[in-house]
Structures are given as structure tokens and as C-alpha cells.
């Protein structure tokens, strides 16, 4: 579908009579701004805070045209923020200094803490936030274990909303651009009474997708692929991926009955109805030379069952009949049995349709001839989200069609009370309640052949309370904060998981994940002189998490428990070389018997942790501050959310274990870090140049990564794989060389080296996912005042990241090459500041690149990717009131 209908009516209802002030200018003109941050629980100048921070105010967000949190990473050194690919829904992938998390599942905690108005957002699936009516963003690099708590082991990203001022001002802004983008934003700030102020903000946006889905059978009438004609009337291309229709709003109230008490309360909601996540096929067929290349004219034997070639895997055994494992602890495939003769996709001639380069529309591994008749073939996919396979006794739940969607609906209420008991004692109480529901479909193979299809749904609610006591003593000699934190959350994950390549098709869940986090913390700063500050912090955290597994057949029956009418259930786990019987997914077994014993089975994790921080800073002059710190942090442990074998199969580490299925309901420990950091902050040349820098060394332990190699396959197991030393540096600058001209930029480097690896399949030469060795960014802006008093603004932003890998093993096919992106913006503001017109061009040089790639050569025999947007443009008109 194409989302053409912007919710203008609902947006106008939110935004009617909204207004906002024009940009606030610095009193010193062309000088570095004084940016106030609250990284240490109290307001302080960015240049006086001994933490590596990138702070971006609302004016800069507007000048760069940034509208969601993932775009901020381009200007933050050693920070990678990416939207989740199609298999992750509408969430965020976040890494700072090589520490983060990819998996959206509730069993795994994020490694970068995301906060909105000091409220912790505990899941990746609700962290891809729209930038709506913000005062500023603070990106804190390095572990924030004492200041922010668990899951900020890599750092934290804090969004602060603009508070109501009662100014009676506001704005409306309308935008139109590429892919039929229509957007309306607005804000109104007004006084209800002399002590109660309100601020209403909202936006609505509709944009079409940029990856075109084609019906392969219709666009290739001479092929063996049958046309589904699902779009009707022989129309092959009226469906896209990547489009969405979003409406969001926020109401904030600020009550100040006295000069000692302030209560800020807000309510927000977001609703997105979206197409499927944009995904294209990069390569498919038979690998040649290991994992370095594909033979574009061969079918892939690793997915011959999925490609419709008869048979199921037969594995090598020794003279005693025991399974032989390779160096990666996987069974060694020697052939396929002949008992399964039904293809996954039957061609027009009655034979099986294989997965090969014919379904790769563009690139060096394509043998497709689609050309440009339907647009740029690099943005074309032949996925159809359909499994029309003929049912069998082992796979009776066909046909099945996954939804082509990516929907999100969430809301929350935040409260922040501040009471100044005395001039030296302040009480802060922060509380919140948040809920969301996320739904999305997935065609994992991006082909018409039904290799793997899924429908996913996440439901989550979180309730948090935080109490802080800020104090000051001895006329400023001592400052500090003590407090407590409580988080109670519960999530459910439900999915239809149709994996023909693995021989299973089942209902996952609803798996429940209730968890609680309790913490006590304190931080104290001693200022023996006006130049020297010494800070110490301590935090104690206690976690409890229970994950309960439910696996059932799509008809509601439980594998190997509900007896079929034909007789007792059969589930043969033998993986021998007998061609008459190939294993638990072959004909003769009950459906999904591989998942035997995984119904109403809990897996639990409990743990506690002390974190600490010591820092010292010295201001050598008004222009230069230096600091050093040692700090710790951790990411919570948990249990494997995707076991294929339950406790009934025995324990893998049991001395009597002799191969075959074993229990994958296993827990993993928290990962931890100790960071040593030195840095400086300088305002030079009469504040025309700001230069901030930091160098760090991390001792990173019990690293949590997902393994696909276990004593028994299939396997997707999060585990503590080892330890690493990580070192690097970051530089940021802003400059005002002449009147009207401003420059800003950043540079970062990171070196990641494993010092220990366990039995994980790692060699020790890898780097964590989404961690570029080098990044840099720069921006240049010129503001010119015309004789009329109007202002013309021109700005260009550029950013570069070196290559990254998207999986733990750094396979060739998980590599995303380095790339440079440029964005430009031209604006005109009238002399009275009431009107602003802006034209922006994103990806000016039309660079083709990937946000992420998925290497599933080992299971599906193919590689998919999420291409970034090509060159786009947008024209905005804003009216300030």
C-alpha cells in the first residue's frame, strides 16, 4: 500500500491556534553558546561538566532538519543509532563506544540508556523517538552506572522537552517533499492562570515508501514463478515498503504556586501505521570460496529444502552412530534424504522454484533482467510475505500470509515535582507510566519463495519512581545527590513464526517478561578551591526478571502434548544418515515436535550490582578545564528468549550428555565495564572557538552476544562470550570565525580488541556490531542579513562512518562499507521573524548505502539489507505567532 492520507484533520485538532517563539539568539552574538545540562542531577554549564557530552539545542535540531533520534548520531562521536531492520519492528539499534544491543526481545536489555525528561525508556522497541518540541538533547558517552543506573553501560541519550512558559507564543509549520511527504507541526504556549502554564505540541506526517515490491510472476511472465496477482488486475507494483502515517501529540502543564515548588506533568501519545520495513535482497545462491562470494548462477544447497529441492538434511556420524561436530560445534551436513518431495514453491511447470540470483534485482550478484522500467532496481524487492506451500502432515498449517505492516501505538504520563525545602536542600520526585503496542510483519528472505515469514506483536507497560535529594553544604564546598529508583515493567511477545528452512511453523508466546529493578544511589562533589572539584558516586542495583515460554501450534495445540486422532505423537530426534528418517522436522513426526517441552516453562534471572565513579576536574583558567575519571557500569543479565529445546531434553553440560538435543533455557550474566577517561573542555579566542576532547580505555567483561553455534542446532543463544580492551578518543568543536559564519564538527576513533573468548565461535579478531573505527562530521552555516532586515541562511552538514559489521562474528556478508552523507538547507526569515521558508536536500550526493544488512547465508543461504533513503527534498513554511 501507499500511505497517501495524512491525518490532517487530527493534526489540525491538535495544533489549532498553536504558536512558538522565534529562535533564541545568544546574547554574545557570534560566540559559543552557554549550554546548560543536567548530567550530574543539577543544572550546570556544559563546559564545567567532567563528562564527555554532545549537547544539541532546539535551534540546531531545526537548522539540521533532524526529526528523529537516530539522526542525531551523525554529529555525535562514537555513537551509532540505526532504525531496526524489518525483523525488529519500529525500534532502535543503539551503540556508544562499541557497547549496545541489537535484539529487540525483552529478555535482553539495551546497552545505551534512553531517557525522556529523566524518565528511563527501558526497551529498544520504544526508543526510536520523534524529536517533538524539545529544549535539548544530551548524549553522554561512557558508563553512567552511578548517575543513570543499569543499561547505560555504553552511555545514555537524554531528551528534554521544552517547558511551558506561559508566553502566549507558538508556531505552525507545513512541509511537503519527496515520496509525497506531507507534514504538519505546531506548538502553543499559554498561561492558564498566573501560576499554571500549558504547552501543547503535535505533528502529523505521511510519507510513501521508497522500496517497491513487485510481483515476480507478473513482471517476469516467462519465468517458472507463478504470479500471485495479490494486488489485483495484473498490477505488479502498487505496493511499497518504508512508508508510514504518524500522528503524535503532547500536553505539558507547569504549576508554580510558590517560588519553592514546581510541578511539571505531561501526557503524550504516538500512533504510526506503517508499511513493512524496507528490505532488498543483496545475494542468493551458492557461496563460492567459503563466505567471500556467491556463484550468481547456482542454487543454494544450504537452503535446498527451502528452495523446494526434495529432502531434509542428513548429518555425518561416526562408526558408533554418534553425531560428528565441526569446529563450530555444528553437525556436519552430508546430504539430503528423499522422503520429503514437496517443494516450498511449486513453479508453473510443476517443479520446485529455487532461491538464486534471479530474485536479486541489482548488484554484482544479480542475474535479474528487470532493468529500470519500475524505477531504480536497487530499491526493488520481490518479497510477497506469502507461504502458499502445500500442507503436509508435519507442516499442516498452510497457506499462511504475514502482514505487510510496521505499526506502533504508545502513550505515557510523566510527572516531575521539585521542592526547595531550603536554599541548600531540594527534593525531586520523578514518576511515570508508559505503555505501547508494536506490530510488524516480516518476509525474511525477500523472495517469492516462502523461506521464512513472521508476524510479531509486542505489548509493554512500565511504571517507574525516582526520588532525589539534592543538597549543598559549607557555602558550596560540598554538593551532592542521594536517592532511590524503582522500575516495574512487564512485556509480552507474541509471534507467528513460519520457518520452512528449519521445519517449524508455530506460535511464539505470548511469552511474558515481568521484571523489577530497585536501586539506591548517591554522588558527592567536593570543591576545596574555586578551580578544583572532586566527585565520587555509588549505586546499588537489584534486578529480578522471569521469562515464561509458550510454544504452540498455530491451531492452538501444544507440540507433543496434545495427541492427534491418528494415535500417539511421534518425535524422533535421531540425526543419523538413514535416508528413511531425517530428524524431528521430517514427515512422520508431529508438527513442531522440535519444540517439545516449551510450554509454560519459566526461566529466571536475579542479580545485584554495585557501581561506582570517581572524577576530578581542574579549571586552569576561564578558558580551559581538564578532567579525569574512573567509572563502572553494567547491562542486565537474563535468559535465552528463543530456545529450540526445553528442559525435558537434558542439560548440555551434564557429564552424561552424549549429543543430541539439550536444554537451551539458559541464563546469562550481566556484562560489565570499567572506563578510564581523561578529557578537556576549552573556549578559546574570546569564545570564538570551542574545543572539547576525551580519550578513554575500557575493560569490557562478560560481553553478551548472540550465538548461532551451540552443541545442538538450531540455536539462537545469547551468552557471555568473553572480554575485551577498548580504547579511543573523541574531539568536538564549534567556531565562529567571522560574523554570520559558524562551523561545528566532530571526530572519533575506536580500537576494539578481544582479550578473552570462550567456546563461542569467535576468533578474537572481531569487533562488536555497529562499531565504526572512524567517524567524523562537520557543519557549516552562514546567516546573511539583507537590507530589509530579513535573514538568509545556508547550511551544509556532512558525516562519515567507516565500515561496520552487523553481526557478532563479523562475517563478510555482515559488513556495511563506509560512506559519507551530505545534507543541505537554505532558509529565509522575514525581518519581523514571523515567517520562515526552508528548502532542504538530504543525501545531496545520492549515495547508495545500507543502514543494516542481515547475513543469513548459514541458514537461508542469502543476504538482505535495508537501504538508506536516496536523495530527497522537502520544502517547509513556518508561521510564528
Amino acid at each position: 500500500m501507499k500511505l497517501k492520507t495524512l491525518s490532517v484533520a487530527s493534526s489540525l485538532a491538535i495544533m489549532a491556534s498553536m504558536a512558538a517563539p522565534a529562535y533564541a539568539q545568544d546574547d554574545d552574538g557570534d560566540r559559543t553558546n552557554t549550554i546548560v545540562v543536567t548530567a550530574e542531577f543539577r543544572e550546570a554549564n556544559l563546559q564545567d561538566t567532567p563528562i564527555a557530552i554532545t549537547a544539541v539545542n532546539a535551534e540546531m535540531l531545526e537548522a539540521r532538519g533532524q526529526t528523529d533520534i537516530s539522526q542525531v548520531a551523525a554529529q555525535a562521536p562514537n555513537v551509532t543509532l540505526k532504525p531496526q531492520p524489518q525483523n525488529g519492528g519500529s525500534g532502535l539499534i543503539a551503540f556508544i563506544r562499541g557497547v549496545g544491543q541489537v535484539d529487540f526481545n525483552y529478555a535482553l536489555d539495551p546497552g545505551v540508556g534512553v531517557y525522556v525528561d529523566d524518565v528511563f525508556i527501558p526497551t529498544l522497541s520504544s526508543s526510536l523517538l520523534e524529536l517533538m518540541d524539545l529544549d535539548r538533547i544530551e548524549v553522554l558517552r561512557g558508563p553512567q552506572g552511578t548517575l543513570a543506573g543499569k543499561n547505560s553501560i555504553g552511555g545514555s541519550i537524554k531528551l528534554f522537552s521544552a517547558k511551558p512558559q506561559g508566553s502566549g507564543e507558538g508556531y505552525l509549520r507545513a512541509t511537503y517533499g519527496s515520496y509525497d511527504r506531507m507534514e504538519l507541526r505546531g506548538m502553543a504556549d499559554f498561561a492558564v492562570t498566573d501560576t499554571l502554564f500549558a504547552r501543547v505540541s503535535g505533528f502529523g506526517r505521511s510519507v510513501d515508501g521508497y522500496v517497491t515490491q513487485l510481483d515476480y510472476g507478473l513482471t517476469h511472465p516467462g519465468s517458472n514463478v507463478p504470479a500471485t496477482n495479490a494486488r489485483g488486475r495484473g498490477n505488479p507494483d502498487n505496493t511499497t515498503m518504508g512508508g508510514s502515517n504518524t500522528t503524535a501529540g503532547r500536553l505539558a502543564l507547569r504549576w508554580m504556586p510558590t517560588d519553592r515548588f514546581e510541578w511539571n506533568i505531561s501526557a503524550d501519545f504516538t500512533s504510526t501505521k506503517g508499511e513493512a520495513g524496507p528490505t532488498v535482497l543483496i545475494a542468493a545462491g551458492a557461496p563460492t570460496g567459503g563466505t567471500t562470494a556467491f556463484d550468481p548462477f547456482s542454487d543454494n544447497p544450504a537452503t535446498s529444502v527451502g528452495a523446494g529441492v526434495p529432502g531434509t538434511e542428513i548429518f555425518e556420524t561416526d562408526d558408533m552412530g554418534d553425531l560428528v561436530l565441526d569446529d563450530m560445534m555444528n553437525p556436519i551436513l552430508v546430504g539430503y534424504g528423499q522422503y520429503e518431495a514437496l517443494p516450498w514453491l511449486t513453479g508453473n511447470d510443476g517443479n520446485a522454484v529455487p532461491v538464486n540470483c534471479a530474485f536479486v534485482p541489482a548488484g554484482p550478484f544479480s542475474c535479474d533482467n528487470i532493468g529500470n522500467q519500475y524505477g531504480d532496481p536497487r530499491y526493488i524487492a520481490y518479497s510477497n510475505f506469502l507461504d502458499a506451500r502445500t500442507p503436509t502432515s508435519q507442516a499442516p498449517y498452510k497457506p499462511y500470509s504475514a502482514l505487510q505492516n510496521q505499526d506502533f501505538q504508545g502513550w505515557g504520563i510523566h510527572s516531575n515535582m521539585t521542592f526547595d525545602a531550603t536554599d541548600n536542600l531540594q527534593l525531586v520526585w520523578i514518576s511515570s507510566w508508559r505503555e505501547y503496542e508494536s506490530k510488524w510483519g516480516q518476509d525474511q528472505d525477500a523472495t517469492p519463495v516462502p523461506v521464512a515469514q513472521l508476524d510479531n506483536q509486542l505489548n509493554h507497560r512500565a511504571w517507574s519512581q525516582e526520588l532525589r535529594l539534592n543538597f549543598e553544604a559549607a557555602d558550596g564546598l560540598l554538593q551532592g545527590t542521594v536517592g532511590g529508583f524503582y522500575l516495574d515493567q512487564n512485556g509480552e511477545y507474541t509471534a507467528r513464526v513460519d520457518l520452512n528452512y528449519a521445519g517449524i511453523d508455530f506460535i511464539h508466546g505470548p511469552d511474558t517478561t515481568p521484571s523489577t529493578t530497585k536501586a539506591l544511589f548517591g554522588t558527592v562533589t567536593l570543591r576545596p578551591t574555586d578551580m578544583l572539584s572532586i566527585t565520587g558516586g555509588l549505586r546499588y542495583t537489584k534486578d529480578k526478571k522471569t521469562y515464561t515460554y509458550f510454544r504452540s501450534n498455530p491451531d492452538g495445540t501444544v507440540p507433543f502434548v496434545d495427541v492427534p486422532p491418528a494415535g500417539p505423537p511421534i518425535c524422533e530426534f535421531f540425526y543419523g544418515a538413514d535416508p528413511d528418517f531425517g530428524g524431528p522436522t521430517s514427515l512422520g513426526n508431529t508438527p513442531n515436535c522440535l519444540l517439545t517441552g516449551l510450554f509454560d516453562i519459566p526461566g529466571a534471572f536475579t542479580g545485584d550490582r554495585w557501581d561506582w565513579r570517581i572524577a576530578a576536574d581542574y579549571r586552569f583558567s576561564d578558558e580551559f578545564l581538564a578532567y579525569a575519571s574512573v567509572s563502572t557500569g553494567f547491562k542486565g543479565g537474563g535468559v535465552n528468549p528463543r530456545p529450540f529445546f526445553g528442559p525435558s531434553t537434558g542439560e548440555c553440560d551434564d557429564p552424561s550428555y552424549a549429543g543430541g538435543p539439550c536444554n537451551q533455557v539458559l541464563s546469562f550474566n550481566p556484562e560489565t565495564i570499567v572506563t578510564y577517561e581523561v578529557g578537556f573542555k576549552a573556549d578559546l579566542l574570546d569564545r570564538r572557538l570551542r574545543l572539547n576532547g576525551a580519550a578513554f580505555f575500557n575493560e569490557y567483561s562478560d560481553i553478551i552476544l548472540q550465538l548461532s553455534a551451540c552443541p545442538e542446532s538450531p540455536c539462537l543463544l545469547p551468552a557471555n562470550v568473553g572480554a575485551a580492551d577498548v580504547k579511543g578518543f573523541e574531539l568536538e568543536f564549534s567556531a565562529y570565525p567571522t560574523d554570520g559564519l559558524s562551523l561545528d564538527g566532530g571526530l572519533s576513533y575506536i580500537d576494539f580488541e578481544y582479550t578473552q573468548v570462550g567456546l563461542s565461535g569467535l576468533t578474537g579478531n572481531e569487533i562488536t556490531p555497529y562499531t565504526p573505527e572512524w567517524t567524523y562530521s562537520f557543519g557549516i552555516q552562514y546567516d546573511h542579513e539583507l537590507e530589509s532586515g530579513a535573514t538568509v541562511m545556508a547550511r551544509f552538514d556532512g558525516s562519515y562512518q567507516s565500515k561496520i559489521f552487523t553481526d557478532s562474528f563479523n562475517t563478510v556478508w555482515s559488513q556495511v562499507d563506509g560512506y559519507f552523507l551530505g545534507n543541505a538547507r537554505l532558509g529565509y526569515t522575514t525581518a519581523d521573524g514571523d515567517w520562515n521558508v526552508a528548502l532542504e536536500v538530504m543525501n545531496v550526493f545520492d549515495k547508495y548505502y545500507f543502514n543494516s544488512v542481515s547475513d543469513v547465508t548459514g541458514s537461508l543461504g542469502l543476504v538482505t539489507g535495508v537501504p538508506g533513503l536516496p536523495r530527497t527534498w522537502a520544502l517547509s513554511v513556518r508561521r510564528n505567532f
Side-chain angles (χ1 to χ4, degrees):
M1 64 177 176
K2 286 191 176 181
L3 298 175
K4 294 281 189 180
T5 57
L6 172 67
S7 302
V8 175
S10 60
S11 301
L12 286 173
I14 297 171
M15 303 176 194
S17 72
M18 293 182 178
Y23 295 143
Q25 303 296 323
D26 189 88
D27 293 337
D28 294 329
D30 296 306
R31 299 291 189 275
T32 55
N33 291 326
T34 298
I35 300 178
V36 175
V37 297
T38 56
E40 295 184 300
F41 297 141
R42 61 183 68 245
E43 292 185 352
N45 185 348
L46 169 67
Q47 297 302 95
D48 293 330
T49 305
I51 298 174
I53 304 176
T54 297
V56 185
N57 59 20
E59 181 180 1
M60 184 58 73
L61 293 173
E62 178 83 9
R64 291 171 175 165
Q66 294 171 333
T67 58
D68 74 61
I69 191 174
S70 67
Q71 298 167 344
V72 176
Q75 284 78 33
N78 271 329
V79 177
T80 302
L81 303 176
K82 302 288 186 182
Q84 285 275 358
Q86 189 182 89
N87 66 328
S90 55
L92 182 71
I93 294 173
F95 278 78
I96 296 179
R97 293 181 174 177
V99 181
Q101 180 58 265
V102 174
D103 199 331
F104 66 87
N105 196 288
Y106 296 140
L108 293 100
D109 289 333
V112 174
V114 177
Y115 296 78
V116 177
D117 297 330
D118 281 329
V119 171
F120 178 50
I121 307 298
T123 69
L124 289 175
S125 294
S126 56
S127 296
L128 187 60
L129 302 171
E130 293 284 345
L131 305 183
M132 182 176 64
D133 196 26
L134 294 181
D135 175 67
R136 69 187 186 279
I137 298 176
E138 299 176 13
V139 181
L140 285 65
R141 294 182 294 276
Q144 307 298 313
T146 58
L147 297 173
K150 76 164 188 172
N151 303 335
S152 294
I153 180 175
S156 61
I157 302 170
K158 298 188 174 185
L159 284 64
F160 294 92
S161 305
K163 292 182 179 181
Q165 303 295 327
S167 62
E169 298 175 319
Y171 76 89
L172 283 172
R173 187 178 73 193
T175 302
Y176 182 80
S178 301
Y179 298 102
D180 212 11
R181 172 187 169 188
M182 294 181 288
E183 185 173 315
L184 189 63
R185 289 177 178 262
M187 183 276 296
D189 190 305
F190 54 92
V192 180
T193 68
D194 291 342
T195 60
L196 179 62
F197 312 119
R199 191 176 181 100
V200 184
S201 55
F203 79 91
R205 180 180 61 239
S206 175
V207 61
D208 289 343
Y210 62 97
V211 171
T212 301
Q213 282 182 264
L214 297 180
D215 187 322
Y216 190 91
L218 289 177
T219 55
H220 300 71
S223 72
N224 193 36
V225 178
T228 62
N229 201 23
R231 300 160 178 85
R233 299 184 180 180
N235 186 354
D237 68 335
N238 71 337
T239 297
T240 58
M241 292 187 285
S244 64
N245 190 333
T246 300
T247 303
R250 180 175 180 269
L251 170 64
L253 298 175
R254 186 184 189 188
W255 185 41
M256 304 173 67
T258 72
D259 59 359
R260 289 189 175 274
F261 180 78
E262 180 177 333
W263 185 13
N264 287 277
I265 186 169
S266 65
D268 65 88
F269 78 92
T270 301
S271 177
T272 296
K273 297 292 185 180
E275 301 170 336
T279 303
V280 299
L281 187 62
I282 299 173
T288 63
T291 60
T292 58
F294 269 88
D295 177 355
F297 299 100
S298 297
D299 304 333
N300 190 345
T303 55
S304 57
V305 176
V309 177
T312 293
E313 298 94 331
I314 298 175
F315 297 94
E316 181 180 349
T317 57
D318 58 22
D319 294 337
M320 302 297 295
D322 294 326
L323 199 65
V324 177
L325 304 179
D326 62 16
D327 293 337
M328 299 285 289
M329 303 299 291
N330 283 322
I332 299 174
L333 181 70
V334 295
Y336 297 89
Q338 300 302 314
Y339 49 82
E340 168 67 274
L342 296 176
W344 290 355
L345 181 62
T346 303
N348 293 321
D349 63 0
N351 295 316
V353 176
V355 176
N356 59 23
C357 61
F359 300 128
V360 182
F365 305 104
S366 170
C367 57
D368 189 20
N369 60 358
I370 192 65
N372 295 313
Q373 58 182 314
Y374 296 101
D376 189 335
R378 297 176 301 175
Y379 299 94
I380 283 177
Y382 298 119
S383 51
N384 61 10
F385 294 74
L386 176 65
D387 181 359
R389 185 184 178 192
T390 302
T392 69
S393 60
Q394 195 276 331
Y397 309 110
K398 318 291 183 177
Y400 161 66
S401 180
L403 297 176
Q404 301 182 41
N405 69 323
Q406 196 171 90
D407 301 340
F408 178 89
Q409 191 165 40
W411 63 274
I413 298 175
H414 297 182
S415 172
N416 186 314
M417 291 185 183
T418 301
F419 175 63
D420 295 332
T422 69
D423 292 342
N424 299 315
L425 194 64
Q426 182 186 67
L427 186 66
V428 180
W429 178 22
I430 303 167
S431 57
S432 72
W433 179 279
R434 299 205 63 84
E435 292 188 13
Y436 70 82
E437 179 178 87
S438 181
K439 299 179 179 179
W440 71 97
Q442 180 188 359
D443 187 327
Q444 190 176 3
D445 51 87
T447 75
V449 180
V451 184
Q453 298 71 225
L454 297 90
D455 275 310
N456 304 269
Q457 179 172 326
L458 295 173
N459 293 88
H460 187 266
R461 62 98 181 137
W463 177 65
S464 68
Q465 300 288 316
E466 183 168 351
L467 191 64
R468 302 175 186 168
L469 183 65
N470 300 323
F471 61 87
E472 183 176 304
D475 197 24
L477 175 65
L478 197 66
Q479 291 181 330
T481 300
V482 294
F485 173 78
Y486 178 77
L487 172 66
D488 183 300
Q489 58 177 324
N490 194 5
E492 289 187 355
Y493 175 40
T494 309
R496 169 73 180 266
V497 183
D498 178 18
L499 307 180
N500 284 325
Y501 77 89
I504 51 180
D505 177 11
F506 65 98
I507 299 298
H508 178 294
D511 286 5
T512 58
T513 320
S515 68
T516 58
T517 300
K518 304 172 184 177
L520 296 174
F521 57 87
T523 181
V524 175
T525 299
L526 177 67
R527 304 185 188 276
T529 72
D530 291 339
M531 299 297 187
L532 176 64
S533 296
I534 302 171
T535 300
L538 194 64
R539 189 179 190 110
Y540 174 76
T541 303
K542 187 172 184 178
D543 277 339
K544 182 179 180 181
K545 180 187 298 183
T546 301
Y547 195 104
T548 303
Y549 307 91
F550 292 90
R551 304 291 182 268
S552 60
N553 296 318
D555 64 358
T557 59
V558 179
F560 205 58
V561 173
D562 296 318
V563 178
I570 302 173
C571 195
E572 175 60 66
F573 282 108
F574 176 64
Y575 279 95
D578 182 356
D580 296 324
F581 204 92
T585 63
S586 65
L587 288 175
N589 279 313
T590 56
N592 298 308
C593 75
L594 188 69
L595 306 175
T596 295
L598 288 172
F599 190 86
D600 199 14
I601 299 297
F605 171 83
T606 59
D608 60 356
R609 161 82 180 180
W610 286 97
D611 278 307
W612 51 268
R613 173 177 179 257
I614 299 174
D617 62 87
Y618 189 83
R619 180 161 290 285
F620 290 87
S621 67
D622 291 341
E623 294 78 22
F624 189 85
L625 177 139
Y627 69 90
S629 66
V630 184
S631 56
T632 70
F634 81 104
K635 180 168 68 176
V639 293
N640 176 22
R642 298 182 182 92
F644 289 90
F645 305 106
S648 62
T649 58
E651 301 300 326
C652 302
D653 57 358
D654 191 312
S656 63
Y657 171 69
C662 57
N663 181 24
Q664 293 180 354
V665 180
L666 303 173
S667 63
F668 51 91
N669 294 322
E671 66 178 29
T672 63
I673 203 167
V674 180
T675 293
Y676 306 87
E677 181 175 318
V678 294
F680 68 89
K681 302 195 175 187
D683 282 324
L684 307 172
L685 304 178
D686 194 24
R687 288 183 55 205
R688 284 187 176 271
L689 173 64
R690 172 171 292 171
L691 185 62
N692 294 345
F696 61 90
F697 178 81
N698 294 341
E699 295 176 345
Y700 190 16
S701 303
D702 289 324
I703 300 170
I704 300 170
L705 294 177
Q706 188 177 81
L707 304 181
S708 56
C710 303
E712 182 62 41
S713 292
C715 169
L716 289 172
L717 178 68
N720 302 103
V721 302
D725 288 343
V726 187
K727 54 181 178 291
F729 69 83
E730 298 138 358
L731 290 173
E732 294 181 278
F733 79 92
S734 57
Y736 298 82
T738 63
D739 291 347
L741 179 64
S742 61
L743 307 171
D744 60 83
L747 173 70
S748 68
Y749 168 79
I750 193 168
D751 177 64
F752 188 103
E753 182 177 355
Y754 277 103
T755 58
Q756 176 190 346
V757 292
L759 297 176
S760 59
L762 296 175
T763 66
N765 297 319
E766 297 85 359
I767 189 172
T768 45
Y770 295 94
T771 303
E773 184 179 23
W774 288 96
T775 69
Y776 69 78
S777 65
F778 65 88
I780 180 170
Q781 178 173 325
Y782 185 72
D783 296 276
H784 177 67
E785 185 174 338
L786 304 176
E787 292 184 2
S788 64
T791 302
V792 176
M793 181 273 284
R795 182 175 178 87
F796 180 85
D797 287 287
S799 62
Y800 169 80
Q801 72 164 40
S802 61
K803 71 177 181 182
I804 61 172
F805 297 94
T806 60
D807 79 352
S808 306
F809 297 96
N810 293 185
T811 63
V812 172
W813 290 105
S814 72
Q815 178 177 314
V816 176
D817 292 335
Y819 58 86
F820 175 86
L821 296 179
N823 303 321
R825 187 177 180 91
L826 184 66
Y828 173 83
T829 303
T830 58
D832 57 11
D834 288 346
W835 290 92
N836 173 268
V837 180
L839 174 66
E840 67 179 27
V841 180
M842 312 298 281
N843 193 1
V844 170
F845 305 111
D846 202 21
K847 175 67 176 178
Y848 186 74
Y849 67 100
F850 288 96
N851 283 318
S852 60
V853 296
S854 297
D855 175 10
V856 285
T857 54
S859 52
L860 281 68
L862 48 85
V863 183
T864 61
V866 180
L869 275 166
R871 181 192 296 125
T872 60
W873 64 270
L875 180 66
S876 299
V877 179
R878 170 170 168 156
R879 177 68 165 92
N880 297 318
F881 301 97

